[in-house]
Amino acid sequence: MTAEIDRLDPEAGRLLFARECRFVAGATNEEILPPTTLPEVAFAGRSNVGKSSLVNALTGRNTLARVSHTPGRTQQINFFDLGERLMLVDLPGFGFAKVSKTQVRSWTDLIFRYLRGRPTLRRVCLLADARHGLKEVDREFMEQLDEAAVSYQLVLTKTDKLKPPELAARRADIAREIAGHVGAHPEIVATSAHAGLGIPELRAHLAALAEPAPIQ
Ligand code: GDP
């Protein structure tokens, strides 16, 4: 699969993310995944990467942090319907040091069952902390996504923590690395939830994947 360059329309992104975002379901096993009604974008990354902050910045709401950080819900796949156009899917954070290997295996199983078997899945946003770049778990995850023919896009978080030349160097390193991955989208999005950077750009990328708005 070759990832294509998205045709970005910031206004479409703004309008999409101004719509209501509603928690639909939390799935702890494959049997209870919600039906495939909308195009889906999943968010993945190591624990503490800034996933909740980013999704909250995108939607302008705190819903996701509340749901996804509720004890017991951090280990499930949470589905949010954005304006009946796009399903935002929050995957459990990986690389948590405090959980057992068995638990990690059962999340990984659930995540890959979801990722492999979801015909409506358009893209995975793989979040990486701009200060740290890609880690071994990210690379393994990317290889599994390549194998599963799932398309994914790198999103850098917390870029406010870097000086412009450091960020440019980080982007260049990652661009070099993803060039060797079939499933990786060529455009890396640099964001900061705290400073509001890259949010309109990421919204525009996601709007390109959403169900089109009906013609009035
Ligand atoms: P999650 O575990 O991936 O959902 O991560 P959170 O959104 O809970 O964020 C983890 C930590 O990173 C928190 O202390 C946040 O305040 C911090 N953080 C998240 N986004 C940003 C950002 O854009 N800039 C900075 N400097 N810190 C951030």
Side-chain angles (χ1 to χ4, degrees):
M1 190 191 318
T2 317
E4 288 181 11
I5 304 281
D6 295 330
R7 217 171 291 137
L8 296 188
D9 178 354
E11 182 58 7
R14 191 187 67 76
L15 288 172
L16 175 65
F17 280 86
R19 295 177 68 91
E20 198 193 339
C21 188
R22 187 173 57 84
F23 176 67
V24 173
T28 46
N29 66 61
E30 205 185 359
E31 280 73 48
I32 54 176
L33 290 173
T36 51
T37 50
L38 287 172
E40 294 182 0
V41 175
F43 294 84
R46 279 177 290 129
S47 304
N48 225 33
V49 73
K51 185 154 53 73
S52 305
S53 304
L54 181 68
V55 178
N56 286 338
L58 284 169
T59 57
R61 294 163 188 85
N62 278 322
T63 331
L64 205 157
R66 263 210 311 279
V67 172
S68 304
H69 277 184
T70 306
R73 283 193 162 170
T74 52
Q75 296 159 27
Q76 61 186 28
I77 302 182
N78 291 312
F79 292 79
F80 300 84
D81 177 332
L82 178 63
E84 297 172 357
R85 303 264 189 282
L86 186 68
M87 196 72 86
L88 305 180
V89 183
D90 182 31
L91 299 176
F94 48 76
F96 224 143
K98 285 199 191 110
V99 298
S100 70
K101 279 208 166 130
T102 324
Q103 217 170 355
V104 169
R105 216 168 301 130
S106 88
W107 300 355
T108 316
D109 263 15
L110 173 65
I111 292 174
F112 276 92
R113 277 196 194 153
Y114 162 76
L115 292 172
R116 287 207 182 91
R118 203 72 177 169
T120 42
L121 180 64
R122 294 286 180 271
R123 189 172 297 166
V124 173
C125 288
L126 175 57
L127 276 48
D129 189 320
R131 292 170 299 178
H132 311 308
L134 293 173
K135 297 281 189 188
E136 213 37 52
V137 277
D138 299 311
R139 298 192 176 98
E140 282 168 21
F141 189 63
M142 286 164 60
E143 276 166 24
Q144 285 172 295
L145 292 173
D146 287 336
E147 270 171 41
V150 171
S151 122
Y152 53 97
Q153 182 164 26
L154 262 297
V155 177
L156 294 177
T157 60
K158 311 186 193 180
T159 59
D160 57 285
K161 294 271 197 184
L162 264 61
K163 296 193 176 74
E166 292 169 333
L167 178 59
R170 177 71 69 217
R171 284 182 81 123
D173 283 348
I174 295 182
R176 244 189 321 273
E177 191 161 344
I178 63 171
H181 286 266
V182 284
H185 192 287
E187 292 166 281
I188 300 162
V189 187
T191 68
S192 161
H194 286 188
L197 301 170
I199 305 299
E201 184 187 345
L202 185 53
R203 284 182 181 147
H205 276 288
L206 302 185
L209 307 170
E211 190 95 337
I215 296 161
Q216 302 292 324

